[in-house]
Amino acid sequence: MKAALDEVPAGTWTIDPMHSTVGFSVRHLMGKVRGTFEEFTGSVTTAARPSDCSATATVAMSSVNTGVRMRDDDLRSANFFDIDRFPHMVFEGTGLTVDDGLFELRGKLTIRGITRDIAMGVEFLGFDETGLQGEQRIGFSATTTIRRSDFGVGAAGEGEKVVVGDKVTVLLDIQAVR
């Protein structure tokens, strides 16, 4: 396996959902709740120049899973994601930058019909020329923090009491196949 991005062949890679995770963490009362989205699709395009790299992803909001059915049903409701009106979250990455060996992917994130510019810190985890069954495979993790309020997701809180925090950490672990 090779660990340098410049050794990755240019092309389009399809995200492998069996070996990938789209997760999040958010403050809830006196702790943090972690969850995942179980259904998502997407692709990564690699190029010789990092600025020509891109990524797209579509996440089914109905697939949210925090391990608590009542909370998940509330997240799916009009109180939060309103999945009947806004069934998908969409990310469109528009270019990768490299600064002192650190990668950042900028793009547009759409939740509940609201689109905002975001930036994700990206860690390239490697390139495997022969994968599990002879396929070429790449891996990376990425993270960003967004504000629920920027996307109209859920109420801000109840007075001084923080029921659900406004800051949400998005955590991605992605493998993609060429």
Side-chain angles (χ1 to χ4, degrees), residues 14-177:
T14 301
I15 293 174
D16 176 0
M18 296 293 293
H19 293 95
S20 300
T21 303
V22 175
F24 64 91
S25 173
V26 64
R27 181 174 172 189
H28 177 61
L29 297 174
M30 302 307 298
K32 291 207 175 186
V33 168
R34 288 167 177 72
T36 59
F37 291 94
E38 306 295 322
E39 296 175 23
F40 51 90
T41 60
S43 65
V44 175
T45 300
T46 55
R49 294 183 341 174
S51 61
D52 293 334
C53 295
S54 63
T56 62
T58 300
V59 176
M61 300 305 277
S62 62
S63 71
V64 66
N65 181 1
T66 65
V68 178
R69 184 180 177 144
M70 186 171 77
R71 179 173 44 227
D72 296 345
D73 289 344
D74 191 31
L75 288 171
R76 292 182 190 105
S77 77
N79 293 335
F80 288 91
F81 298 140
D82 196 0
I83 66 166
D84 291 335
R85 290 181 50 213
F86 306 103
H88 298 101
M89 170 173 46
V90 177
F91 176 74
E92 296 176 7
T94 55
L96 188 68
T97 60
V98 183
D99 185 19
D100 198 26
L102 302 175
F103 297 101
E104 183 177 81
L105 178 63
R106 295 191 171 275
K108 297 191 175 297
L109 179 64
T110 302
I111 303 173
R112 286 184 59 117
I114 299 170
T115 302
R116 300 279 187 243
D117 292 327
I118 68 165
M120 289 191 280
V122 177
E123 178 186 3
F124 179 65
L125 300 175
F127 164 58
D128 188 345
E129 294 181 53
T130 58
L132 297 171
Q133 298 175 345
E135 77 286 4
Q136 291 183 327
R137 184 174 288 270
I138 59 172
F140 61 90
S141 62
T143 187
T144 191
T145 300
I146 61 173
R147 292 187 177 276
R148 292 185 305 112
S149 58
D150 288 347
F151 297 93
V153 175
E158 298 177 14
E160 299 283 323
K161 188 175 191 174
V162 175
V163 178
V164 179
D166 192 35
K167 292 181 182 179
V168 179
T169 302
V170 179
L171 309 158
L172 306 175
D173 288 300
I174 303 295
Q175 287 188 38
V177 178

